[in-house]
Amino acid sequence: MNRTTLMNPAPVRRAGPPAWAGLVLTRVLLALAFLALWVFAASRMPTFVLPGPAKVWNALVALAQTPSFLHDVGMTTYRVAAGFLLATLVGTPLGLALGSSRVLARVFEPLLAVMNTVSSAIWAVFAIIWFGISNATTIFVVFMTAMPLILTNVWQGARNVDKQWIDLARSLRFSRARILFRIHLPSILPYFFSGARLAFGFGWRVSLVAETLGSSDGIGYRLRQAADLVQTDQVFAWTLLLVALMLALEGGILKPLERHLFRWKPL
């Protein structure tokens, strides 16, 4: 260290606010802007068309005090979770199989395109015909909506596996099953989580359609009841509750699990 450095030390950089603080502030401001716009629009429309935030909150508090509230929330959560779990258990191995075999991909690609094209409302109609008014109706619709999304993403991930690793495994005389689980499976995890989060969001939305048409309880069923009675505040309350549940489960389970599995990746 020379004399000049001692006389003129480098300035100390002060650490700025963490990145998450700016993100939180931005989201809070966005939420406040949304509430302000909601209050402004509600003040210029009839209550049965657009109730204000205060009226919707009071409706949600009243609904939470009803005896059937926890049952309805629990049934919807159970149906979405069951359909999503089945979609994961079926879509992941099928996506791996299609991604590792060109023959299977050519055979089943048209079928996958058809499944991605059919609307969730059509699956709901089929489910009512096949299963009637039961839990299986909503579970089936969630499954048929989420499974193609997971399968497609896993398939694309398996197709992008580095061929050098596969050739190396074959030179070491790995079995086909071992190549799938030791090379393909770790490589497709980012694609799987991308498809799973998308499928989870779609699953929550289509559960409303299925419960509206083919259920005697659950959030979708209560939404239909409130809409039939023109109880718009309850419709908004159930909708906001569903969105809050979806965000809580995704932010509390899927995102932390994804961060834990990929903690080795640079930010």
Side-chain angles (χ1 to χ4, degrees), residues 29-265:
L29 292 176
L30 182 62
L32 291 176
F34 173 76
L35 286 175
L37 181 62
W38 185 0
V39 171
F40 175 78
S43 65
R44 283 158 174 74
M45 294 185 183
T47 305
F48 68 90
V49 175
L50 181 63
K55 188 172 181 61
V56 173
W57 173 256
N58 292 334
L60 182 58
V61 172
L63 289 173
Q65 296 173 353
T66 59
S68 62
F69 178 79
L70 291 179
H71 172 76
D72 291 321
V73 173
M75 290 307 299
T76 297
T77 304
Y78 158 72
R79 291 161 182 158
V80 174
F84 178 75
L85 180 60
L86 286 175
T88 301
L89 294 177
V90 174
T92 302
L94 285 180
L96 280 171
L98 294 181
S100 60
S101 173
R102 293 181 179 179
V103 176
L104 289 177
R106 284 196 297 267
V107 172
F108 289 100
E109 185 174 6
L111 179 61
L112 184 59
V114 172
M115 295 176 65
N116 280 319
T117 303
V118 177
S119 169
S120 300
I122 297 177
W123 289 125
V125 173
F126 287 149
I128 293 173
I129 296 173
W130 295 335
F131 306 112
I133 307 298
S134 66
N135 289 335
T137 297
T138 303
I139 293 173
F140 175 79
V141 175
V142 173
F143 168 78
M144 292 304 298
T145 303
M147 191 272 292
L149 295 173
I150 294 176
L151 192 158
T152 301
N153 276 51
V154 171
W155 176 18
Q156 294 301 319
R159 290 179 60 185
N160 291 328
V161 174
D162 193 340
K163 293 183 179 180
Q164 293 182 355
W165 290 105
I166 300 176
D167 294 338
L168 178 60
R170 288 173 178 170
S171 67
L172 295 174
R173 297 182 180 179
F174 278 23
S175 65
R176 191 174 187 84
R178 194 175 181 186
I179 292 175
L180 281 174
F181 285 99
R182 296 296 296 273
I183 297 178
H184 282 88
L185 187 58
S187 300
I188 60 95
L189 280 178
Y191 296 88
F192 165 77
F193 273 97
S194 176
R197 290 172 62 181
L198 184 63
F200 188 71
F202 273 101
W204 274 105
R205 289 194 286 270
V206 302
S207 68
L208 293 183
V209 178
E211 288 182 342
T212 299
L213 298 177
S215 182
S216 58
D217 54 10
I219 295 178
Y221 174 73
R222 299 302 176 187
L223 265 171
R224 186 188 68 188
Q225 276 191 329
D228 290 342
L229 298 174
V230 200
Q231 296 173 331
T232 315
D233 55 344
Q234 291 191 17
V235 173
F236 273 76
W238 283 117
T239 303
L240 291 178
L241 176 64
L242 187 75
V243 172
L245 283 173
M246 183 184 70
L247 294 177
L249 289 174
E250 183 181 353
I253 297 178
L254 289 180
K255 285 186 178 179
L257 181 60
E258 186 177 5
R259 284 195 297 265
H260 175 73
L261 291 176
F262 303 121
R263 60 189 182 277
W264 51 271
K265 295 180 65 175

